[in-house]
Amino acid sequence: MNNQKVSVVIPALNAANTLAETVASVLNGTHKHLEILIVDDCSTDATDKVAAKLVEQDSRIQYFRNPQNYGVSKSRNLMMYRATGEYVAFLDSDDTWEPNKLEVCLKMLADNPELKAVAHALRYLDKRGNKLSYIPTYPTTKAEMQAIKETGESPWVFPSSVIVERSILIKEGGFPEEWQVGEDTELFTKIAQKYGLLATTEALGNYRIRGNSLTDKHWLKKRIASDCVKENQLRRLRGEKELSLNEYEQLCFKNLPVLKRLNKFRELLALHYMRKLGQSFLNREVLPTIIYGLATTVLNPQATLNKWKWMKTHEKLSDQRAEGISHSAEFNNPHQSSEIGGLS
């Protein structure tokens, strides 16, 4: 496993404050046979200076700057073709890995040669860099993996947790570049369905909670994208042509009758505010937590009830993990967590 080269792709946009920490978490890992490909999507801060310094310090690091802002999907795809490793691992420029991340993931691949991709659970990082709670993952068993292939269930993974065989990424064309958001979910769902993806419940990385992410900026399209992924899962199972995000949005949202479209918008807005509520709660921001809690209650009282249940479970889980107790069965259900955690 130590002989297998891993290409770590890090897309960066105005990441001067976090990039060095992110790269250090890779270099400090137990697996050393790797290359790090930083792709700067036209940052306007000091990302280029930070990256240049990193390149000077370690020959395994390469830095590329896009001639124009391409977006995260095309940026990742460009590095996918430049990569020379057998496997490609993705890491966002404000997330971090635990030292044994690559070692554990490569062992999973070695122990399960039929797999083409693996992933893992994560922890949240607040604005101050503190590790909080636990982000579950799915599928974690062969039976769950088979269910995704046969019934179209969704995997629950974040880009910074996934390692994929490079040949499969090339074969599938990488991330859909026309998707502003949700492109990672679409690609990883397709890979899980067609080739198999298995995740470990061990938290091998850390996901930073931000208030200015693409999901926040394009929240409505993100929610529509989630529905589009589900539709494409079913279409693949039926052998039908998959839809682009724009095609799905036109067919299944914009063409709805006015009242149904308004009700759908209400549901999606409630999910967005629920996500913001979770962010504010984890960052210990009192006023935004109250505001988003009230907004969610007005739009969807049941969603608010689910959110408060999640918050209580979050506190209990944090205490348990601090004491070295394994996470609860409730958080083994990522579909529930994705609804009430809402940080995807």
Side-chain angles (χ1 to χ4, degrees):
M1 290 181 292
N2 289 331
N3 293 327
Q4 291 175 317
K5 186 176 183 180
V6 180
S7 299
V8 182
V9 173
I10 303 179
L13 177 61
N14 296 330
N17 293 332
T18 58
L19 182 59
E21 179 185 3
T22 296
V23 171
S25 74
V26 180
L27 296 177
N28 293 334
T30 56
H31 185 79
K32 302 299 183 181
H33 193 195
L34 52 85
E35 64 181 358
I36 298 175
L37 307 176
I38 302 170
V39 52
D40 185 348
D41 201 21
C42 293
S43 297
T44 56
D45 64 357
T47 295
D48 56 344
K49 295 181 177 59
V50 173
K53 186 175 182 180
L54 292 170
V55 170
E56 291 178 358
Q57 295 172 352
D58 197 303
S59 61
R60 292 172 295 176
I61 303 173
Q62 301 178 54
Y63 171 70
F64 305 91
R65 182 178 173 89
N66 294 335
Q68 64 188 69
N69 184 269
Y70 287 146
V72 67
S73 293
K74 186 171 183 177
S75 295
R76 286 173 176 151
N77 288 347
L78 288 171
M79 296 302 101
M80 174 184 75
Y81 289 106
R82 287 183 177 273
T84 60
E86 180 180 353
Y87 294 99
V88 175
F90 300 99
L91 179 59
D92 288 347
S93 58
D94 56 354
D95 294 343
T96 60
W97 287 346
E98 295 299 317
N100 61 334
K101 180 254 173 56
L102 290 179
E103 181 182 350
V104 171
C105 288
L106 289 174
K107 186 176 188 306
M108 288 175 63
L109 288 163
D111 291 344
N112 301 276
E114 75 279 10
L115 294 180
K116 302 301 180 182
V118 295
H120 54 78
L122 296 162
R123 294 186 185 88
Y124 291 118
L125 286 179
D126 67 12
K127 291 180 178 179
R128 293 164 292 279
N130 299 313
K131 295 178 183 179
L132 304 173
S133 189
Y134 178 84
I135 307 175
T137 188
Y138 179 89
T140 60
T141 67
K142 294 290 184 66
E144 292 174 344
M145 183 176 70
Q146 192 62 29
I148 288 177
K149 290 184 176 183
E150 294 177 356
T151 67
E153 291 185 32
S154 298
W156 178 244
V157 295
F158 286 66
S160 292
S161 74
V162 177
I163 298 182
V164 187
E165 190 174 298
R166 179 175 175 271
S167 61
I168 296 301
L169 288 173
I170 300 295
K171 182 177 180 180
E172 294 301 327
F175 297 88
E177 295 178 8
E178 72 277 8
W179 290 45
Q180 262 184 320
V181 287
E183 76 292 332
D184 53 332
T185 306
E186 172 67 4
L187 175 62
F188 297 145
T189 296
K190 183 189 298 185
I191 289 174
Q193 271 194 308
K194 295 176 70 171
Y195 306 100
L197 181 153
L198 194 63
T200 174
T201 57
E202 186 176 354
L204 299 175
N206 307 287
Y207 171 82
R208 196 177 304 270
I209 306 164
R210 297 176 295 167
N212 61 343
S213 65
L214 281 176
T215 298
D216 287 312
K217 294 176 182 177
H218 306 288
W219 66 267
L220 180 57
K221 194 171 284 287
K222 168 65 175 179
R223 294 302 168 185
I224 295 173
S226 297
D227 289 344
C228 183
V229 169
K230 296 174 184 177
E231 174 63 24
N232 280 340
Q233 287 172 281
L234 297 176
R235 284 173 171 262
R236 281 190 288 270
L237 288 172
R238 297 192 297 258
E240 299 174 1
K241 180 181 180 294
E242 299 165 28
L243 296 175
S244 70
L245 181 54
N246 288 334
E247 287 173 336
Y248 180 84
E249 185 176 7
Q250 189 65 40
L251 288 172
C252 303
F253 184 73
K254 291 182 177 179
N255 284 348
L256 288 175
V258 175
L259 290 179
K260 286 187 177 181
R261 189 162 69 249
L262 287 174
N263 187 56
K264 183 68 173 178
F265 180 82
R266 176 191 62 80
E267 293 175 352
L268 296 177
L269 184 59
L271 286 172
H272 172 60
Y273 283 153
M274 186 169 64
R275 179 179 187 273
K276 299 295 292 181
L277 171 59
Q279 286 180 336
S280 301
F281 172 76
L282 289 171
N283 277 319
R284 297 297 186 260
E285 298 169 336
V286 178
L287 184 58
T289 298
I290 294 173
I291 292 173
Y292 288 122
L294 290 173
T296 306
T297 301
V298 171
L299 291 168
N300 192 333
Q302 185 60 48
T304 303
L305 178 61
N306 288 340
K307 173 56 70 175
W308 286 113
K309 287 180 179 178
W310 173 79
M311 289 178 176
K312 296 302 291 183
T313 305
H314 159 81
E315 290 183 337
K316 180 179 178 181
L317 184 60
S318 296
D319 292 341
Q320 287 178 337
R321 293 190 68 82
E323 297 170 2
I325 302 174
S326 62
H327 58 275
S328 65
E330 180 177 1
F331 265 70
N332 272 324
N333 184 345
H335 301 290
Q336 178 185 19
S337 178
S338 64
E339 283 297 309
I340 61 179
L343 289 178
S344 62

